Amino acid sequence: MPSLSSRANRSWWDGNADDYQVEHGHFLRDTGFVWCPEGLDEAEARLLGDVRGRRVLEIGCGAAQCARWLVTQGAEVAAFDISHRQLRHSQRIDLDTGVRVPVLQADAEALPFADGSFDLACSAFGALPFVADPVAVFREVRRVLQPGGRFVFSVSHPIRWAFPDDPGPRGLTSDRSYFDRSPYEERDEHGRLTYVEHHRTMADWVNLLVASGLSVTGLLEPEWPPGHERVWGGWSPLRGRHLPGTAIFSCANT
């Protein structure tokens, strides 16, 4: 049964997918792999290595922009998201670009794929910030990866939790404890959970990965690049010069 977090976030993303794609679609590109609001592009970063001929799973794909780029690089790709409306945008982009990605609706805590189906898995801010049980996701990723397979994913940098989600000067002053793991929640007028985002410290992420059987092989904290002036929520050039906004973990199924 889906968790409360999954049910709330599925509904939230279904209701906000249109606005999200209008606001961020141009930056993400219909066929592009952008890891984070800092603009780190897989075409240059190559965190996944050479994907030609590799079987790749994108987790929490949204409109599958990243997966579509992987297809153009010769990968055999599958992608999923919890939001049906996001996947409708993926179908729209398929028609617009002529680059088709096979997508399905699924929960990251229970992947509908056979053991050892993929050589690589990736996620650019997909699913992991929104799930109550990341170990369940990591174990599922490990299950569907081949031995020696790799998993690379990006999430909000944990230090951001200690600061207001404000792109201006107010966002430079900590107003809560980094160690406060209370999730951020939104509720409707009846008290029903409508959105939730979970906080884990850097040590939490590493320990959860280790507990799942995955090995951490790399960690990247992208710096805000010169000339990049785009504001995305609490990400901005001002904050990016002072605080890391994104953490990208590279892992191996050893």
Side-chain angles (χ1 to χ4, degrees):
M1 175 179 292
S3 67
L4 286 174
S5 292
S6 293
R7 290 199 295 270
N9 286 318
R10 179 177 59 211
S11 178
W12 191 92
W13 280 105
D14 279 343
N16 288 272
D18 293 357
D19 290 342
Y20 179 88
Q21 293 299 331
V22 167
E23 183 177 359
H24 302 298
H26 180 73
F27 177 70
L28 296 173
R29 307 194 311 276
D30 288 348
T31 304
F33 197 136
V34 180
W35 279 106
C36 52
E38 290 87 350
L40 183 70
D41 198 313
E42 177 61 11
E44 285 78 43
R46 295 292 178 180
L47 299 180
L48 297 174
D50 184 1
V51 299
R52 185 171 299 277
R54 310 297 297 278
R55 297 169 299 167
V56 187
L57 174 65
E58 185 183 6
I59 296 163
C61 66
Q65 287 98 334
C66 298
R68 199 168 289 103
W69 181 83
L70 290 166
V71 169
T72 69
Q73 303 303 299
E76 181 182 338
V77 185
F80 74 89
D81 199 271
I82 200 169
S83 166
H84 179 262
R85 187 62 185 170
Q86 286 278 49
L87 298 179
R88 293 287 290 176
H89 282 284
S90 177
Q91 293 171 336
R92 168 184 59 80
I93 298 172
D94 282 352
L95 293 173
D96 289 344
T97 63
V99 181
R100 182 181 175 276
V101 177
V103 296
L104 72 160
Q105 186 175 13
D107 190 321
E109 296 178 66
L111 299 182
F113 302 103
D115 296 1
S117 298
F118 299 98
D119 304 301
L120 296 166
C122 61
S123 183
F125 279 81
L128 284 161
F130 310 106
V131 297
D133 186 3
V135 170
V137 178
F138 292 149
R139 286 175 175 162
E140 281 290 88
V141 171
R142 185 168 184 250
R143 179 183 65 79
V144 302
L145 280 176
Q146 285 278 353
R150 297 178 57 243
F151 175 37
V152 183
F153 68 95
S154 61
V155 292
S156 294
H157 196 288
I159 194 61
R160 288 174 55 84
W161 196 260
F163 295 82
D165 197 27
D166 187 319
R170 179 173 169 268
L172 298 177
T173 302
S174 175
D175 66 354
R176 72 204 77 177
S177 172
Y178 169 77
F179 300 102
D180 180 1
R181 293 168 176 83
S182 303
Y184 169 76
E185 297 181 348
E186 295 177 5
R187 296 181 180 270
D188 63 18
E189 64 273 18
H190 304 292
R192 289 189 292 260
L193 191 66
T194 59
Y195 177 90
V196 60
E197 192 167 339
H198 297 271
H199 169 57
R200 283 103 194 179
T201 67
M202 191 67 81
D204 289 342
W205 282 117
V206 172
N207 290 330
L208 291 166
L209 285 162
V210 171
S212 73
L214 291 166
S215 298
V216 178
T217 59
L219 173 62
L220 180 63
E221 299 168 304
E223 295 187 42
W224 196 271
H228 179 39
E229 299 301 320
R230 189 178 192 275
V231 173
W232 182 330
W235 282 264
S236 68
L238 173 65
R239 295 188 78 198
R241 288 193 292 268
H242 294 273
L243 297 168
T246 299
I248 305 177
F249 292 85
S250 294
C251 312
N253 183 21
T254 55

